[in-house]
Amino acid sequence: MRIFDPHIHMTSRTTDDYRAMYDAGVRALVEPSFWLGQPRTSPASFLDYFDSLLGWEPFRAAQYGIAHHCALALNPKEANDPRCVPVLDDLPRYLAKDGVVAVGEIGYDSLTPAEDTALAAQLQLAADHGLPALVHTPHRDKLTGLRRTVDVVRESALPLDRVLLDHLNETTVKEAADSGAWLGFSVYPDTKMDEDRTVAILKEYGTDRVLVNSAADWGRSDPLKTRAVARAMLGAGFTDDDVDQVLWRNPVAFYGLSGRLHLDLPTPPDLHEGNSVLRGGE
């Protein structure tokens, strides 16, 4: 089994997580830029972080046999902080770099005018750089936020079929699917979605254009939730091919829109394949 986690914040995780992910079948990931928990006080803090996502973190992942790519952006929460907004002027030179496969996370946190402005500006940057966009739908007032997001994308130069609407749930999935965007589901131990709810949505809406992620970060989260979804899919009657589509081919197809995916990492000599076969091996 091969797994591509399309949204995970490895900056917040340990090398033990990398090892466990490799043993679970994870061979590729995308790390979007996000709020680190402590407010940044200047654009320079973003630039150091971007450099880490382009340099140190791919090196660290490669030691554990995992291909690391990133998405860069001014995140929705910090789009409301005037100290952070000037990083938009620096983004173009970073978005030109080879390891960047999307603009993200962008979108809404509190549905403010400042977030409107940052979202529109970064959708234009994605269009200018030929990149897809990873869009964070808000954790509160989700349906209103989803509708507002789709409206802003429709007014932009970036087509909806180059947008991944993430953090979806049962209240937003239908309108997101109807929009023509890609559909993202974050699976958490307590919040967002769990594996059984995700499988129920897959049964209703199918496996096309659906990506499942762990979104693991500094909060209570689990970098192996992608594998848990795979087990739940198989237990619910989905085929191995269905699992491969959702957990590998769909993220490859979406981020492949950037033309920058590199998935040919060799197996590190100090690691083993582990038990990556779900059937008969659990």
Side-chain angles (χ1 to χ4, degrees), residues 140-161:
R140 305 171 299 277
D141 203 3
K142 291 190 73 68
L143 188 56
T144 298
L146 184 279
R147 290 170 174 167
R148 189 155 160 182
T149 298
V150 170
D151 286 344
V152 174
V153 176
R154 284 180 173 146
E155 293 170 359
S156 78
L158 191 69
L160 271 156
D161 62 6

Side-chain angles (χ1 to χ4, degrees), residues 130-274:
L131 294 172
L134 170 60
V135 177
H136 168 106
T137 60
H139 301 307
R140 305 171 299 277
D141 203 3
K142 291 190 73 68
L143 188 56
T144 298
L146 184 279
R147 290 170 174 167
R148 189 155 160 182
T149 298
V150 170
D151 286 344
V152 174
V153 176
R154 284 180 173 146
E155 293 170 359
S156 78
L158 191 69
L160 271 156
D161 62 6
R162 294 179 65 85
V163 171
L164 171 57
L165 298 173
D166 212 349
H167 307 319
L168 298 177
N169 64 12
E170 295 88 345
T171 66
T172 53
V173 59
K174 184 180 187 306
E175 293 195 26
D178 290 345
S179 76
W182 295 71
L183 313 178
F185 297 93
S186 301
V187 183
Y188 264 45
D190 299 319
T191 60
K192 299 183 175 72
M193 296 290 287
D194 63 27
E195 47 267 42
D196 294 327
R197 290 167 58 199
T198 302
V199 167
I201 285 177
L202 289 168
K203 284 183 175 179
E204 183 172 357
Y205 289 92
T207 57
D208 290 341
R209 294 187 294 118
V210 175
L211 284 73
V212 172
N213 65 75
S214 70
D217 57 16
W218 40 258
R220 185 161 189 265
S221 51
D222 182 353
L224 303 184
K225 277 296 186 181
T226 48
R227 180 179 169 96
V229 170
R231 285 198 300 264
M233 288 180 68
L234 293 173
F238 285 94
T239 67
D240 291 322
D241 187 68
D242 294 329
V243 172
D244 190 70
Q245 180 181 6
V246 172
L247 293 178
W248 185 265
R249 299 198 308 272
N250 285 351
V252 168
F254 177 72
Y255 288 114
L257 296 171
S258 69
R260 299 177 183 176
L261 274 184
H262 302 289
L263 301 174
D264 54 352
L265 271 181
T267 302
D270 59 335
L271 293 183
H272 56 81
E273 278 295 318

Side-chain angles (χ1 to χ4, degrees), residues 37-67:
Q38 173 69 27
R40 294 177 176 94
T41 58
S42 75
S45 297
F46 282 89
L47 303 188
D48 289 339
Y49 175 49
F50 293 167
D51 286 337
S52 176
L53 294 183
L54 285 162
W56 171 244
E57 209 57 49
F59 172 79
R60 198 164 72 111
Q63 309 313 298
Y64 292 86
I66 296 174

Side-chain angles (χ1 to χ4, degrees), residues 24-93:
V26 177
R27 295 295 181 271
L29 62 85
V30 168
E31 180 165 359
S33 53
F34 79 135
W35 180 56
L36 293 174
Q38 173 69 27
R40 294 177 176 94
T41 58
S42 75
S45 297
F46 282 89
L47 303 188
D48 289 339
Y49 175 49
F50 293 167
D51 286 337
S52 176
L53 294 183
L54 285 162
W56 171 244
E57 209 57 49
F59 172 79
R60 198 164 72 111
Q63 309 313 298
Y64 292 86
I66 296 174
H68 181 290
H69 302 82
C70 67
L72 301 182
L74 169 65
N75 67 80
K77 186 176 183 68
E78 290 176 297
N80 296 294
D81 190 334
R83 298 173 299 176
C84 298
V85 172
V87 77
L88 292 173
D89 295 331
D90 292 299
L91 264 175
R93 66 186 175 93

